[in-house]
């Protein structure tokens, strides 16, 4: 036996040991595909930051799980469902992507759900907000992590009705998410004894909100609910201030406001605004430490969507670590079995309808005097227990729950 | 009875008409710039939205770094962005004279993507806030609506600029040269007029108009890298309806489309984003050269 033959034998023996270690990991690699809005309306609240957050979860594992390397791929879906679905299909079919992450914009999440269902892959939804994602539109492998429109309605909606804001008018983004949010808030308002006077649907995205603000003014409602997000919310709030809606005694309720929106508006305009958040960097030592790391990489404090993306990917990897497998059903079962504990959630529970139930927070934007500097924007008014925010499992219409 | 017109309270109707006029003023200034550029350079300037965005960012920048405030920005921002536009004409667009229109369109479209992309990278998509100048905060109750002083000022300033531009092009010697340059640049050059300089200035002027609209809009919406790309398609439709290259057409159509859009928001809000394109389709069928365009 010459030396070359010996060498090749020992190399193949080594290779066998290595493949045994990741025997249960398909293709020998765990690949996570982050599909998000990198350049549009939602790119600040998600975008690059969501990719960084995913990478932070991977880094906590030192880049390998169950003996296999973890890889990340990302793409800009431009908030377009067709682009997102094509990319997801390509990733799943040809690039061995095991899980899709982030998926902001409801229409995108719905389209990727379709692909995930066909390919039996896990979809970790963070940015999309519509509650039907774990109800009528649910799929067995679709997990909804950060928040949903029901939780937002329970938080901000009921708080405002309790303060006497019992008649509402909505400015609603004209797509699935706006409709879901308006629907969920309407339910809460009516359950608390309030009334909804009407709604104006605006194109998504829109830049000029003056005419919609005028219609809201004419409605005479005490509360103008903004069933939109991102730049749309910012511009709607600006228009409401400019046209004297707030000065005349009507209240503006941002139903989905992100930390980045407050940052962009400035405290002068945003102060006093109530918002429901899934995460705030300044909640406790753990959130501060994690957020500081995020800040060092991006120059911004994380939004709930970004922290939620981190948490969902981390939990997914933990389940792979625990089972030694990336088989969808095995990993899913483990994810449901383990409580979610990280910088984002404490004792979160993953339900069979795909909903990750965790506490939410009702927050109020500080006044410039109360704030000690950039990113010190929110004070937490109330912790909303997960069960209250997301409702019982029996409320979900998910057929596979 | 005026209390209810087709089920719409009159204050809503008048309010939307007023807002339509305000938006129309923006469309007018933006489409005017496009019309000037197309009329004189035969370039379909797809970077117009990006220049509009640059105007708004320049407003924030001069306020922050030069400390000259909104009123100074009204002059400085269009000058700076206009000069940038002139440089683009001189170094890039000039190389495309004599080739198909499509190349100018592609070049300016590419420029717009590069400019907008780098601004998203630098400032993020939510952009920066810019306050309404102190002299123009508050507003007046017109009975049917609350009109912020600033919006009123936008209409006045836009119309003043439109009229000045029309005067410049139709009633002055420079305007006569420019128009002659479109008809027959070689002949004009033979008379000793520096035609290349004239085109550079004309492009710079068109770009400055876009930047001027950008300054006007800065206190109204968030100053964001994507503000131009949302608007540019509508403005193109306005130019097509008015007739490519027609100055009067751009202004009148701009105002009219603003009002039509405002009315649609009352009667059929969901269609407000598309109504201008429906008008465009109808106009193209009936008068392919646009309402004010000369048939070739």
């Amino acid at each position: 036996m010459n030396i070359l033959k010996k060498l090749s034998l020992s190399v193949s023996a080594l290779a066998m040991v290595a493949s045994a270690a990741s025997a249960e990991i398909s293709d020998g690699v765990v690949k996570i595909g982050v599909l998000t809005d990198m350049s549009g309306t939602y790119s600040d609240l998600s975008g690059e930051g969501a990719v960084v957050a995913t990478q932070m979860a991977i880094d906590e594992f030192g880049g390998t799980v169950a003996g296999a390397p973890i890889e990340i791929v990302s793409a800009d879906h431009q908030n377009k469902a067709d682009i997102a679905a094509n990319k997801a299909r390509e990733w799943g079919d040809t690039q061995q992507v095991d899980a899709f992450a982030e998926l902001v914009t409801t229409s995108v999440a719905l389209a990727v759900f379709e692909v995930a269902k066909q390919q039996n892959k896990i979809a970790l939804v963070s940015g999309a907000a519509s509650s039907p994602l774990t109800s009528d539109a649910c799929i067995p492998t679709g997990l909804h992590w950060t928040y949903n429109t029901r939780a937002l309605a329970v938080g901000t909606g009921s708080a405002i009705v309790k303060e006497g804001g019992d008649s509402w008018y909505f400015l609603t983004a004209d797509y699935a998410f706006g409709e879901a949010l308006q629907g969920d808030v309407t339910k809460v308002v009516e359950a608390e004894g309030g009334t909804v006077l009407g709604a104006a649907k605006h194109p998504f995205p829109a830049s000029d909100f003056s005419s919609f603000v005028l219609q809201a003014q004419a409605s005479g409602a005490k509360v103008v609910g903004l069933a939109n997000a991102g730049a749309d919310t910012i511009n709607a709030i600006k228009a409401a201030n400019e046209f004297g809606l707030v000065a005349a005694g009507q209240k503006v309720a941002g139903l989905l406001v992100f930390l980045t929106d407050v940052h962009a508006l400035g405290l002068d305009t945003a102060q006093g605004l109530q918002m429901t958040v899934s995460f705030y960097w300044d909640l406790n030592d753990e959130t501060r430490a994690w957020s500081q790391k995020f800040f060092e990489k991006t120059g911004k404090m994380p939004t709930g969507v970004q922290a939620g993306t981190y948490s969902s990917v981390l939990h997914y990897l933990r389940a792979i670590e625990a089972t030694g497998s990336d088989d969808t059903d095995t990993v899913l079962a483990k994810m449901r079995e383990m409580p979610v504990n990280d910088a984002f959630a404490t004792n979160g529970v993953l339900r069979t309808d795909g909903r990750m139930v965790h506490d939410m927070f009702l927050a109020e934007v500080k006044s410039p005097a109360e704030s000690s500097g950039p990113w010190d924007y929110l004070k937490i008014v109330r912790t909303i227990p997960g069960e209250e925010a997301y409702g019982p499992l029996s409320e979900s219409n998910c057929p596979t729950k | 009875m005026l209390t209810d017109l087709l089920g719409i309270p009159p204050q809503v109707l008048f309010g939307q008409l007023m807002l339509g006029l305000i938006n129309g003023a923006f469309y007018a200034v933006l489409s005017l710039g496009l019309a000037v550029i197309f009329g004189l350079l035969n370039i379909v300037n797809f970077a117009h939205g990006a220049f509009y965005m640059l105007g708004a960012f320049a407003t924030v920048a001069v306020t922050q770094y030069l400390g000259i405030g909104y009123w100074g920005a009204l002059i400085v921002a269009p000058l700076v962005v206009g000069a940038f536009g002139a440089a683009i004409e001189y170094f890039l667009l000039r190389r495309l004279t004599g080739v198909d229109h499509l190349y100018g369109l592609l070049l300016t479209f590419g420029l717009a993507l590069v400019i907008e992309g780098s601004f998203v990278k630098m400032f993020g998509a939510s952009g920066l806030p810019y306050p309404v100048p102190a002299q123009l905060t508050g507003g007046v109750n017109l009975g049917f609506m609350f009109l912020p002083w600033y919006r009123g000022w936008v209409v006045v300033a836009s119309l003043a600029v439109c009229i000045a531009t029309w005067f410049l092009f139709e009633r002055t010697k420079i305007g006569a040269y420019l128009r002659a340059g479109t008809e027959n640049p070689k002949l004009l050059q033979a008379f000793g007029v520096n035609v290349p300089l004239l085109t550079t200035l004309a492009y710079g002027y068109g770009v400055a108009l876009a930047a001027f609209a950008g300054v006007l809009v800065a206190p109204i919406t968030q100053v964001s890298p994507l503000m131009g790309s949302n608007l540019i398609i509508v403005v193109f439709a306005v130019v097509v309806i008015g007739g490519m290259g027609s100055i009067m057409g751009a202004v009148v159509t701009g105002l009219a489309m603003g009002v039509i859009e405002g009315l649609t928001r009352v009667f059929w809000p969901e269609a407000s984003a598309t109504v201008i394109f429906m008008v465009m389709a109808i106009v193209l069928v009936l008068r392919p050269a646009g309402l004010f365009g000369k048939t070739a």
Side-chain angles (χ1 to χ4, degrees), chain B residues 75-94:
Chain B
I75 313 250
V76 176
L79 280 180
V80 172
V81 181
F84 178 61
I88 285 175
E89 200 284 331
Y90 186 81
F91 289 109
L92 299 173
L93 286 171
R94 178 156 300 181

Side-chain angles (χ1 to χ4, degrees), chain A residues 40 43-44 208 211 235 242 264, chain B residues 16 23 125-126 129 151 222 265:
Chain A
S43 58
D44 268 8
D208 177 48
S211 70
N235 282 327
E242 196 195 348
Chain B
Q16 297 297 346
N23 284 339
S126 0
R151 301 263 176 164
Q222 194 75 358
R265 285 202 175 120

Side-chain angles (χ1 to χ4, degrees), chain B residues 7 13 28 46 50 58 71 79 83 101 113 116 130 137 169 214 262 275 281:
Chain B
L13 191 64
F46 250 87
W71 302 103
L79 280 180
H101 289 181
L113 291 181
E116 283 171 356
Y130 190 83
T137 48
F169 279 81
V275 65

Side-chain angles (χ1 to χ4, degrees), chain A residues 38-41 43-44 48 174 201 203 205 207-208 210-212 214-215 218 234-235 238 242-244 260 264-265, chain B residues 12 15-16 19 23 120-121 124-130 145-146 148 150-151 219-222 226 230 265 269-270 273:
Chain A
M38 296 280 199
S39 54
T41 314
S43 58
D44 268 8
E48 201 64 50
D174 194 9
K201 283 186 184 160
S207 53
D208 177 48
S210 47
S211 70
F212 305 113
L214 223 62
Q215 293 179 38
I234 295 176
N235 282 327
K238 286 190 88 158
E242 196 195 348
F243 281 86
T260 39
L265 273 167
Chain B
V12 173
Q16 297 297 346
L19 286 176
N23 284 339
V120 168
K121 204 81 193 152
S126 0
L128 311 164
Y130 190 83
M145 76 175 282
F146 177 88
Y150 188 79
R151 301 263 176 164
I220 293 181
T221 59
Q222 194 75 358
L226 303 171
N230 295 339
R265 285 202 175 120
E270 289 87 344

Side-chain angles (χ1 to χ4, degrees), chain B residues 201-220:
Chain B
L201 288 179
Y203 189 77
Y205 185 74
V207 169
L209 281 175
F212 181 78
V215 183
L216 286 181
V217 86
I220 293 181

Side-chain angles (χ1 to χ4, degrees), chain A residues 48-262:
Chain A
E48 201 64 50
V51 181
V52 170
T54 306
Q55 189 61 51
M56 284 171 77
I58 295 172
D59 290 347
E60 277 187 31
F61 277 82
T64 54
V65 62
I70 312 167
E71 282 180 23
I72 178 172
V73 283
S74 63
D76 182 4
H77 63 47
Q78 301 170 31
N79 296 324
K80 293 189 176 109
D82 53 336
I83 295 182
N86 287 339
K87 200 72 205 173
R89 191 165 290 121
E90 179 198 322
W91 279 351
D93 284 346
T94 66
Q95 297 197 30
Q96 299 90 42
V97 164
D98 299 292
F100 309 111
E102 208 294 287
L103 310 172
V104 72
T105 311
T106 298
S107 39
V108 162
L110 289 171
V112 175
F113 265 20
E114 222 24 68
V115 178
K117 194 173 163 187
Q118 287 164 9
Q119 301 186 336
N120 194 32
K121 299 212 159 145
I122 292 177
L124 303 161
V125 180
S126 181
S130 303
S131 45
L133 287 171
T134 51
S135 184
D136 300 298
C138 80
I139 58 165
T141 57
L143 311 179
H144 198 184
W145 218 262
T146 304
Y147 52 22
N148 68 13
T149 47
R150 187 194 189 279
L152 299 169
V154 168
T156 318
S158 71
I160 289 172
V161 180
K162 280 188 186 120
E163 282 170 11
D166 55 4
S167 62
W168 286 61
Y169 189 87
F170 289 100
L171 301 188
T172 306
D174 194 9
Y175 75 105
F177 152 70
E179 215 144 290
L181 186 49
Q182 184 189 328
D184 278 329
V185 178
T186 301
K187 268 186 229 157
V188 169
V189 168
E190 285 172 352
E192 304 257 354
T195 49
V196 173
L197 301 178
K201 283 186 184 160
H202 67 76
F204 164 73
S207 53
D208 177 48
F209 279 83
S210 47
S211 70
F212 305 113
V213 165
L214 223 62
Q215 293 179 38
Q217 258 172 334
S219 75
K222 286 184 192 166
V223 182
V224 178
L226 305 179
N228 50 22
D232 284 345
T233 304
I234 295 176
N235 282 327
I237 291 175
K238 286 190 88 158
N241 278 326
E242 196 195 348
F243 281 86
L245 189 136
V246 182
Q250 279 175 300
K251 188 178 176 72
V252 176
L255 297 168
L256 179 47
V257 185
F258 294 94
L259 193 66
T260 39
D261 299 336
V262 176

